[in-house]
Amino acid sequence: MSASEKLLETVLVKARFWKTHAKESFNDRQRTIINRLLDGFVGKLTSSKWAKLTKCSQDTALRDTSDLLARQVLAKDEAGGRSTSYELHLPSQPSR
């Protein structure tokens, strides 16, 4: 896959995500993190990283992630425990 194809795929995934969630409201912190994840966040997203990236408390980060988990915007990675990390639950690609 060429660089331009990868870029196009990224743009399409992002557009599909926001179209799917167009009627939902997100706070500024949630929008910031969702866009970072859509842009290719490197590493694992934890509530601690969420708090640092959005300059909020650990409790606020946990409330934000819990809200997105409940709405199935985020999914927990399999590992769980103290190192619980999250990934974006992307809408399925439409069939061609």
Side-chain angles (χ1 to χ4, degrees):
M1 184 180 279
S2 70
S4 59
E5 288 174 326
K6 286 181 185 178
L7 178 60
L8 179 60
E9 179 63 24
T10 300
V11 169
L12 292 174
V13 166
K14 199 170 189 175
R16 202 167 31 248
F17 176 87
W18 287 117
K19 183 178 180 183
T20 301
H21 297 284
K23 293 184 173 146
E24 295 184 52
S25 64
F26 298 98
N27 65 41
D28 290 340
R29 293 178 307 276
Q30 290 170 329
R31 252 191 312 285
T32 297
I33 297 297
I34 289 168
N35 279 317
R36 292 219 35 188
L37 290 168
L38 287 167
D39 290 338
F41 184 81
V42 178
K44 298 206 176 254
L45 177 65
T46 62
S47 56
S48 297
K49 285 183 186 177
W50 183 295
K52 287 177 187 168
L53 290 169
T54 60
K55 297 179 175 76
C56 69
S57 71
Q58 188 73 33
D59 288 341
T60 299
L62 194 55
R63 280 191 297 274
D64 285 347
T65 55
S66 295
D67 174 50
L68 294 178
L69 284 168
R71 293 195 273 164
Q72 297 182 339
V73 174
L74 286 182
K76 278 188 183 182
D77 282 345
E78 298 285 322
R82 285 181 54 132
S83 60
T84 299
S85 60
Y86 308 95
E87 59 186 24
L88 206 51
H89 183 257
L90 294 173
S92 58
Q93 186 170 345
S95 55
R96 296 179 184 193

